[in-house]
Amino acid sequence: MPAEKAEFDDVRSFELYEPADVLDPELLYTIPEIARLLQGLPADAELSDFNESVFIDWAIPWMIFNQDDLVFAEPEADDVVGLYGLADE
């Protein structure tokens, strides 16, 4: 249900990071790791399942929007997730 803005003390502008501002060019990351980095957390930060799913919901559209700046590494096995990183300039 919608809420009145006046009910909140902290309403901020919406900012998206550039991939180079978040990702190390020498590393590849899982989507959950990227989601944490986009929130200013360490890639291995412990999160509740709920918070992780919310952060991932934000990360996936960000990745699609920035797809030209990202690369994908095929998993080595069917039970391993893909890894993503910065494209070479």
Side-chain angles (χ1 to χ4, degrees), residues 6 11 24 66 88:
V11 178
D24 183 318
N66 290 292
D88 294 332

Side-chain angles (χ1 to χ4, degrees), residues 11 26 36 38 41 44 51 56 59 62-64 74 80 83 89:
V11 178
E26 301 299 319
R36 287 170 173 79
L38 288 170
L41 300 171
D44 61 351
N51 283 342
I56 289 171
W62 177 86
M63 293 174 69
I64 293 168
E74 269 308 320
V80 178
L83 296 170
E89 291 186 29

Side-chain angles (χ1 to χ4, degrees), residues 12-86:
R12 301 177 227 166
S13 63
F14 187 75
E15 296 178 25
L16 291 177
Y17 295 105
E18 294 295 323
D21 295 335
V22 180
L23 306 177
D24 183 318
E26 301 299 319
L27 300 176
L28 295 172
Y29 304 88
T30 64
I31 293 174
E33 290 169 340
I34 291 173
R36 287 170 173 79
L37 294 172
L38 288 170
Q39 297 298 321
L41 300 171
D44 61 351
E46 289 290 324
L47 296 175
S48 70
D49 290 343
F50 173 77
N51 283 342
E52 183 170 74
S53 69
V54 170
F55 292 172
I56 289 171
D57 286 348
W58 281 85
I60 293 172
W62 177 86
M63 293 174 69
I64 293 168
F65 179 79
N66 290 292
Q67 65 184 314
D68 293 339
D69 296 323
L70 302 173
V71 293
F72 173 79
E74 269 308 320
E76 294 180 5
D78 290 339
D79 62 342
V80 178
V81 297
L83 296 170
Y84 304 83
L86 286 175

